[in-house]
Structure formats: structure tokens, C-alpha cells
Amino acid sequence: MKAVWYTRQGPPAEVLQFGEQPDPHAAAGQVRVKVHASGVNPADTYRRGGRNFPLEGSLVIPNSDGAGIVDEVGPDADPALLGRRVWLYNGQRSGRVLGTAAEYIALDADLVRELPDSASFLEGACLGIPAMTAHRAVTLGGELAGRAVFVSGGAGAVGHYAIQWAKRFGARVVTTVSSPEKAAHAQAAGADLAVNYHTEDVAARVRAFTGGAGLDHVVDLDFGANVAMLVPLMAINGAIAFYATRSNLQPVLPADNVMRRNLSIHGLVLNGAPLAARQRAQADIVRWLKEGGMQHTVSSVHPLPRTADAHAAVESGAKRGTVVVDCTA
């Protein structure tokens, strides 16, 4: 099969190779997917680049998310999956080193779910880590109907899905963005208020949004940078779920204020989340896809031989949504 891989860590143009690799085959409990589209997440670039990750194998095919068609079913996997359009997650995670930047991937059947005809393969490649992380982060807030939810970075891949999940569960949503264009993008996802953190006083706008009652739940992409601002904005018995802490890995936590407000703080990495929570996310995603109305943002599309360009696009910080590799090109 055609594939992209690396045998050492470093910049994408220097370490990613394109060529032939052996075809994988479905083992017991697995399916093989003919990959049509592969989604590139920031963590995929960290793994390839060596940012807080060791080299995970002697040869690594990058990227965790994707979409395609099941063309082989192993023993103990549901034979009804054969020929199905599917989306998948955790392709290159949890000890698996052969990800979705390839024509085929073999993985546990539990990691794939139906992709209805209403969604394209490019859109299916956007789901995985972004949509499931957003679902988990939002649902950690419990019952959200009528409650105030803050989503930082509402124009990003996870943030855009988080806004949609929070609104689907009945919340009132305020989010932060960095430009008027991103504000429009976040509001198209359902945000009730988008605050430009470059030009506006975020804390003041959030207090006004909640009428001084405080935030019931937060979905945050940079806990280290935001915790000092967020804790005083929280309602009693509120919760914060963060899935990244980019600018400060060891922030100071105002423990007395957290305690007095009886706050719950959740750190989140998808592949370590409880299986039941991940399965609920998968089921809710498929249900919504069948109903229609879920928004996906494909930032750019790159042919498989140019996967290095896709990784560079993610690392540039200029993307909005998910960078996708077309594995059929």
C-alpha cells in the first residue's frame, strides 16, 4: 500500500517519507479500512516532532483520525461491517503505531462507527479526536439545559464542536475568538456571544453574559493561561474541563477559591477517557449525523504524498478546523 511514515522525529519535511509499505490485515476483533481521508490533529504533529512524546516505534505511520470503507473483517468482528462507510479514531494511539496516513489501516472494530451517506469522507475525518474530545469535555458538566457554558477558542476544531454539543444539550454559550471572521464562525456553530480576546475585556463580557451568576461549566484549551481568569468567574458547584495547557504546563492553582466555590476540575485526554464515555460520544455523533445539522470545518486538503504539507499547516497555527489528507489522491 501507499503510505507516509517516519523513523525519526523532527520537522515534517525532513522526516516524513512516502512510498510503499506492507498491506495490513484485520486480526481477531479488528477490521481493515480502506482509508479515503485522514485527519491531522495537533497531537499527531507533537508525536512526529518529538514534543513531549518519545519515538513510539521503529516505523510510525502518523495520524489518528480518518474515514473510509471497511474492506476486511477479522475473526470475532461483526461481519455486517464489511462494505460499510465508517469514521474512526485512535488509529495511531495507545500502542498502535500504524495510523491513517496510508491507503489501509487495521484496528479494533470498536474504534470505527458508521458514517452516514450525508457526510463526506473529508467530513468524517474531522470527527474522531475533535468531536469526541468536545463531547467528553462538554458532558463532564452534567445537566446543561439553561446553564452558562464558556468555550475557549470557539473557532478551533475542538471548540467549534464543543459549542455545538453545548447548544445541543440546551446550554447558553459564550466563547472567545481572535478575529471578527472567527467570531462569525463560532456564532454559526451556535455561540450566543463571541468575545474577541485581543480587543475586549473577556472577564467583563463573561460577567455581563451570566448576569453575575457565574459560569456553570467551562471547556478550555489552555488551562495554564486561563485558570487565573476562570476561577473567579465560576458559579458555585461549577466545573472546568480542559484538554490542553499549552502555555504553562505547571500553573498556580488558587486552591482556596476552588474549594470555596466547590469546583470540579477535569483534565482530559481522549484515549484515556472511560470506555463508556467514548462509546457514548461515538453513539451521539452517529445519531446527530443521521439527523443532520452537525457542522464540520475542513481547513485544507492535501494529497497523501504531501502529508508533510498537512502537518506544516497544522503547526503554522493558521488553520481553522481540521487539516485533512486525501488518501485516494
Side-chain angles (χ1 to χ4, degrees), residues 25-33 70 72-79 81 96 106-113:
H25 292 283
Q30 291 188 333
V31 296
R32 186 176 75 173
V33 177
V70 174
E72 186 177 284
V73 176
D76 302 323
D78 184 358
L81 290 169
R96 289 179 299 277
L107 75 172
D108 293 348
D110 189 56
L111 299 176
V112 308
R113 286 295 185 271

Side-chain angles (χ1 to χ4, degrees), residues 98-226:
L98 304 181
T100 60
E103 290 184 298
Y104 297 95
I105 182 173
L107 75 172
D108 293 348
D110 189 56
L111 299 176
V112 308
R113 286 295 185 271
E114 177 186 357
L115 182 67
D117 291 340
S118 57
S120 70
F121 290 118
L122 295 179
E123 291 170 334
C126 296
L127 295 169
I129 288 175
M132 293 182 66
T133 297
H135 182 282
R136 175 63 174 162
V138 169
T139 55
L140 281 167
E143 174 57 55
L144 295 178
R147 304 180 77 189
V149 173
F150 176 88
V151 176
S152 62
V158 175
H160 198 251
Y161 280 121
I163 291 170
Q164 294 182 71
W165 285 122
K167 293 300 294 183
R168 184 170 174 86
F169 298 140
R172 299 166 51 244
V173 180
V174 54
T175 189
T176 50
V177 294
S178 59
S179 70
E181 294 76 20
K182 290 184 177 181
H185 185 59
Q187 288 171 319
D192 298 283
L193 174 66
V195 181
N196 188 326
Y197 61 83
H198 285 314
T199 61
E200 300 180 82
D201 184 331
V202 175
R205 296 298 306 276
V206 169
R207 288 192 190 94
F209 179 80
T210 66
L215 295 165
D216 297 295
H217 188 50
V218 167
V219 175
D220 187 37
L221 89 167
D222 196 348
F223 184 72
N226 296 331

Side-chain angles (χ1 to χ4, degrees), residues 33-69:
V33 177
K34 181 173 175 54
V35 183
H36 284 239
S38 169
V40 185
N41 290 284
D44 298 320
T45 70
Y46 304 159
R47 283 174 155 79
R48 186 224 69 241
R51 179 178 170 182
N52 300 320
F53 288 96
L55 184 63
E56 295 169 290
S58 58
L59 184 150
V60 180
I61 294 176
N63 304 353
S64 174
D65 295 337
I69 297 174

Side-chain angles (χ1 to χ4, degrees), residues 7 25 30 49 51 92 102 115 124 168 190 212 230 234 243 266 293 306 311:
T7 57
H25 292 283
Q30 291 188 333
R51 179 178 170 182
Q92 197 266 298
L115 182 67
R168 184 170 174 86
L230 289 172
M234 299 301 297
Y243 57 92
H266 307 270
R306 306 294 300 180
H311 275 233

Side-chain angles (χ1 to χ4, degrees), residues 224-284:
N226 296 331
V227 60
M229 175 191 73
L230 289 172
V231 170
L233 295 174
M234 299 301 297
I236 302 299
N237 296 313
I240 298 172
F242 68 94
Y243 57 92
T245 180
R246 298 173 179 173
S247 57
N248 184 357
L249 297 180
Q250 297 182 324
V252 174
L253 182 71
D256 56 343
N257 207 348
V258 170
M259 180 178 64
R260 292 190 188 101
R261 292 171 188 267
N262 213 40
L263 301 182
S264 299
I265 298 178
H266 307 270
L268 166 62
V269 175
L270 180 64
N271 60 317
L275 177 61
R278 286 182 277 136
Q279 290 176 332
R280 177 189 170 188
Q282 289 173 301
D284 283 355

